Amino acid sequence: MATLDQKSPNVLLQSLCCRITGKSEAEVAHQFQYAVRVIGSNYAPSIERDEFLVSEKIKKELLKQRREADAALFAELHRKLQTQSVLKHRWSVLYLLLSLSEDPRKPAGRVGNYGALFAQALPRDAHSTPFYCTRPQSLALGYAERSAGLSASVGTSGISSLGVYTLNGPTATPQSLLASQAPQPAAAAAAAAAAAAAGLPLGSRLAWALPVSCSPSSALASRLPVGPPVPSSRAIRPRPDGEVSEAALVRDILYVFQGIDGKFIKMSGQENCYKTDGKVVLCKSLRDTSSRLAELGWLHNKVRKYTDARSLDRAFGLVGQSFCAALHQELKEYYRLLSVLHSQLQVEDEQGVTVCTESGLTLRRLLVWMYDPKVRLKTLAALVDFCQGRKGGELASAVHSYGKTGDPQMRALVQHILSLVSHPILNFLYRWIYDGELEDTYHEFFVASDPNVKTDRLWHDKYSLRKSMIPSFITMDQARKVLLIGKSINFLHQVCHDRTPPGKITPASTSADTPKDAAELLSDLEGAFQEKIDAAYFDTSKYLLDVLNRNYLLLEHLQAMRRYLLLGQGDFIRHLMDLLKPELVRPATTLYQHNLTGILETAVRATNAQYDNAEILKRLDVRLLEVSPGDTGWDVFSLDYHVDGPIATVFTRECMGHYLRVFNFLWRAKRMEYTLTDIWKGQMCNAKLLKTMPELSGVLHQCHILASEMVHFIHQMQYYITFEVLECSWDELWNRVQQAQDLDHIIAAHDMFLDSVISRCLLDNNSRSLLNQLRAIFDQIIEFQSAQDSLYRSALEELALRLQFEERKQQREEEGQWGVTAEQEVEEKRRIQEFQDTVPKMRSQLRILTHFYQSIVQQFLVLLMTSTDESLRFLSFRLDFNEHYRAREPRLRASLGTNRGRRPSNI
């Protein structure tokens, strides 16, 4: 048992202290306690843990001392040690030996008083915010090297008193803090001046000048044998009765720093701040200083309350948990500083307040040391307030907005927190743009998915942007591209059934695996980040368009819509009308779709439409609209084009509804042209036959004039619809489709094309009155056709009877008989008189029809002139090119007189 006790860590550590100091076990009690705290702490220098560099440093030191044999022996022993598994932390042992050999306090050439080694405070590790710059190439292990390295180092803590610019590990204790030396004001001033020359912050410079407590042995060694010791300032300053000592306030403040009520300083619930008990006797300066220091406790409580509440909230999401982790990391470094202060206070308690009181903790020193942590906690508290109620990308935007400051320390802190907060968002983003996967359980990402949407509406409705969740460091254009990339991948897999792996469509880039990667990416948002998104966007979109054009004939279907539904295939439409005329003049209730489908197939085989792709022709079909009372086949007939699969994403139900409306309008206008052609044919064929009936000359002349007006109107309307509307809009659509970079561009161009055709063909809500007038004009054309057909029918019947009468008369004369009897002649004259009596009725009917037609056209022209569309106003000029209607309508005269020959002014 004795053997085991002698090998226990405590016994071995105490033996090491006795061997180093050369004193007995009773005399090294304080050093032993300090050594136990050092070994039990988790502080470590933040330098490169490279065993090779440390061993090389030791060999260089031996060579400097001209101990070549020892250097060779050390190299051999180190080589053997590497082959053994006895020690797990060889680097730590070598670093300890090197640090002991380079102790700046020992006299040259011999081992000095090692008691001062244990009088130092715990090292202050200044690395709460990790740095991502290049690691140091060499180890600055010497005291002089470490002191000089402070000026060029870049650290990140800011919570410790050494500021934010520390890189090369724990700060060495200044010479003024060594217990083996008496605290001298001159030495403290020199240390502060050296720190100022090194470019350290105010808190760091003052920390250099403030020594820590001394050990008893070194304090006794420093006393002079002659005369009594000089009393401290605390001992000679008189204190009023009942006044609390500054040491007690310091202890209270250290508790308040952690959000714990002290004996004299407690949290006031009413005022929501820490206040010193009013019954405590304190001078005004101490009370004010205590109040200023207590603010750190209030700030700490604010941040801690937020992290404790949110850390347990799973709905806060990955971004929120990352934010809480960043706050916890900052609080951890804050607690590390407080542990150093507590250790310092404990050392002072063990040594006694009357010994080396110049090096003790005071409120003023705490005020200086805690300046940087206070600024840092203020930033965290303000950030917590600003981030209340936010999550996901909205939380990242709030953190990012706080980084727009000119304070480099505050900006470094916020940038570090932002790198942690944005890490989950960037992981979401890379998973989405490279794999098309969206695993956003807590709805933090700015791309939203609706699982209830069916496959046929995947492109339009399933995925959308949550604008509130778009981080402020990602632009709207970048967010739109990110949405399109993942949507394209899912569209290829689920709708196009394309099994190409995403990695072959666009090569996957390195994702933000660590906050360090996220920080590097955020530092170059317009460079590397933009390049990654653009590359994935162009590759994925190009591949999707190639699949749609190659496998699903998207452009061929678009051209088929133009040829068939927009009547672009002229020979086919004309032949179809000729074949359908006998069927469509019948009542709509007597039509059968299979008969019309057979006629459609006949028209396809007889025209150039037969050379189209079979995939397109099999989608062409006949559709009968809903029948209303009195409708004929012309009113319910329509062509249809079946779409499904990926092309239904472009030609949606809404789009096909628009195509149906445009087809019905164009079909009706084409029917008017077809009707007027039949009217003209009837006039030309019957003109010579009816010359023998002079009583009809006026009526026929009136028919010719009205027909000419109608032909002029329909020709101008057809020109406007065909060339100014359809051809111009189609040319714009085709150019946009050829330049489209993604499927959304094609859909937008197609929708714009349909909107343009709908509005300029007078089919939108704003042109309803114009469309009603145009339909009334079409109705007048149909009525005129019926009136002229009735006129020609009566005239031809009368002509046939007259010719028949003359033929019988001539035949009887040839037979040598009287041509007609008196009764027959009277009957013939009576019949002719009856026909001649109907001519004025026909003339009046045509006059009324002409009046109605002209009044409707005049009203139509007035509406055209008041239209906001410039092309419609020019159409009115062409319709009334000789001012025929202007002379008849006063409103039209005023409107045309005001606008004719003038351009609308924007002034």
Side-chain angles (χ1 to χ4, degrees), residues 520-775:
E520 292 177 350
L521 206 59
L522 290 174
S523 64
D524 192 16
L525 289 173
E526 297 181 357
F529 182 70
Q530 182 70 41
E531 290 175 1
K532 290 181 180 180
I533 292 180
D534 288 344
Y537 167 73
F538 288 122
D539 292 343
T540 308
S541 299
K542 182 177 182 299
Y543 183 81
L544 173 59
L545 294 182
D546 289 343
V547 168
L548 289 176
N549 292 326
R550 182 179 64 253
N551 300 343
Y552 296 96
L553 307 176
L554 175 61
L555 296 182
E556 284 79 357
H557 287 299
L558 195 61
Q559 291 174 331
M561 295 287 183
R562 172 70 181 94
R563 289 197 300 271
Y564 298 113
L565 296 189
L566 300 183
L567 311 187
Q569 189 80 19
D571 59 334
F572 166 77
I573 297 300
R574 181 67 190 184
H575 190 60
L576 181 64
M577 276 192 165
D578 291 338
L579 296 178
L580 286 174
K581 183 180 179 181
E583 293 286 334
L584 297 185
V585 295
R586 296 162 49 191
T589 55
T590 63
L591 295 180
Y592 296 98
Q593 186 166 354
H594 61 274
N595 293 336
L596 301 179
T597 303
I599 295 174
L600 174 65
E601 292 175 354
T602 303
V604 169
R605 289 194 298 269
T607 60
N608 289 330
Q610 62 182 314
Y611 302 111
D612 269 343
N613 194 318
E615 175 69 20
I616 292 175
L617 293 178
K618 75 177 183 180
R619 295 176 182 270
L620 193 61
D621 198 2
V622 171
R623 178 176 181 178
L624 294 179
L625 305 180
E626 186 177 352
V627 179
S628 299
D631 283 349
T632 64
W634 290 105
D635 299 319
V636 297
F637 175 82
S638 176
L639 288 180
D640 194 14
Y641 196 86
H642 299 294
V643 292
D644 55 12
I647 62 171
T649 301
V650 178
F651 305 106
T652 60
R653 293 181 181 178
E654 295 80 3
C655 291
M656 297 310 296
H658 291 330
Y659 274 114
L660 182 60
R661 292 179 60 193
V662 175
F663 174 83
N664 290 332
F665 173 77
L666 297 176
W667 182 257
R668 191 174 180 87
K670 183 63 72 173
R671 180 195 173 191
M672 295 303 105
E673 182 182 0
Y674 190 81
T675 301
L676 288 173
T677 302
D678 289 345
I679 290 174
W680 180 82
K681 284 182 180 179
Q683 290 177 351
M684 295 298 104
C685 293
N686 298 321
K688 292 183 179 180
L689 294 176
L690 298 179
K691 282 184 178 181
T692 59
M693 302 176 68
E695 65 270 21
L696 292 178
S697 60
V699 178
L700 295 179
H701 178 69
Q702 193 173 355
C703 286
H704 282 225
I705 292 175
L706 182 56
S708 298
E709 287 189 33
M710 291 180 175
V711 168
H712 170 71
F713 181 89
I714 292 300
H715 282 179
Q716 293 301 322
M717 287 299 303
Q718 283 286 14
Y719 171 84
Y720 168 75
I721 293 171
T722 303
F723 295 100
E724 294 194 16
V725 177
L726 294 179
E727 288 300 327
C728 293
S729 299
W730 174 257
D731 185 64
E732 292 178 3
L733 169 64
W734 194 252
N735 290 334
R736 289 195 179 100
V737 168
Q738 296 297 326
Q739 298 172 3
Q741 295 178 345
D742 57 54
L743 183 56
D744 263 356
H745 288 167
I746 293 180
I747 294 175
H750 183 247
D751 291 343
M752 190 181 301
F753 165 73
L754 285 179
D755 291 341
S756 174
V757 171
I758 288 286
S759 61
R760 301 184 68 184
C761 285
L762 314 179
L763 298 177
D764 59 342
N765 294 329
N766 297 329
S767 305
R768 189 175 298 275
S769 57
L770 277 169
L771 182 62
N772 292 335
Q773 294 295 323
L774 187 60
R775 286 175 176 172

Side-chain angles (χ1 to χ4, degrees), residues 33-264:
Q33 292 177 5
Y34 183 77
V36 170
R37 289 201 304 275
V38 171
I39 293 177
S41 67
N42 60 350
Y43 301 105
S46 56
I47 61 177
E48 195 70 35
R49 295 175 176 268
D50 194 329
E51 180 183 352
F52 175 75
L53 290 180
V54 178
S55 64
E56 290 298 315
K57 187 74 173 179
I58 293 176
K59 285 190 285 186
K60 287 181 181 180
E61 290 296 328
L62 292 175
L63 292 175
K64 286 181 181 179
Q65 300 174 13
R66 298 185 179 182
R67 298 166 59 185
E68 292 80 1
D70 291 341
L73 179 61
F74 171 79
E76 179 64 20
L77 292 175
H78 180 242
R79 186 186 61 78
K80 292 181 179 179
L81 182 63
Q82 287 179 322
T83 61
Q84 303 295 327
S85 59
V86 180
L87 293 178
K88 295 183 179 179
H89 304 288
R90 293 191 300 272
W91 175 87
S92 302
V93 175
L94 294 176
Y95 179 73
L96 174 63
L97 295 176
L98 181 59
S99 300
L100 293 176
S101 67
E102 293 184 345
D103 191 344
R105 292 162 292 177
K106 67 179 182 179
R110 66 181 182 86
V111 178
N113 186 5
Y114 290 100
L117 173 66
F118 299 100
Q120 304 179 39
L122 290 179
R124 295 184 291 274
D125 191 4
H127 288 283
S128 66
T129 307
F131 52 87
Y132 304 122
C133 57
T134 307
R135 303 291 293 181
Q137 298 299 322
S138 61
L139 294 175
L141 299 175
Y143 173 76
E145 295 171 354
R146 285 181 289 184
S147 301
L150 285 172
S151 61
S153 60
V154 180
T156 52
S157 171
I159 281 185
S160 77
S161 61
L162 297 183
V164 259
Y165 301 110
T166 304
L167 178 69
N168 289 332
T171 307
T173 308
Q175 286 293 94
S176 61
L177 305 185
L178 297 180
S180 60
Q181 298 178 0
Q184 296 293 336
L200 293 178
L202 175 61
S204 303
R205 298 200 302 268
L206 294 178
W208 279 76
L210 297 176
V212 297
S213 300
C214 309
S215 66
S217 59
S218 60
L220 291 174
S222 64
R223 292 181 184 178
L224 297 176
V226 180
V230 179
S232 67
S233 59
R234 295 187 187 180
I236 62 175
R237 186 173 65 85
R239 182 185 299 127
D241 295 336
E243 182 180 352
V244 178
S245 65
E246 186 174 356
L249 284 177
V250 169
R251 185 176 301 278
D252 258 24
I253 285 295
L254 292 182
Y255 283 112
V256 169
F257 285 166
Q258 305 172 63
I260 304 173
D261 286 352
K263 184 177 180 181
F264 310 108

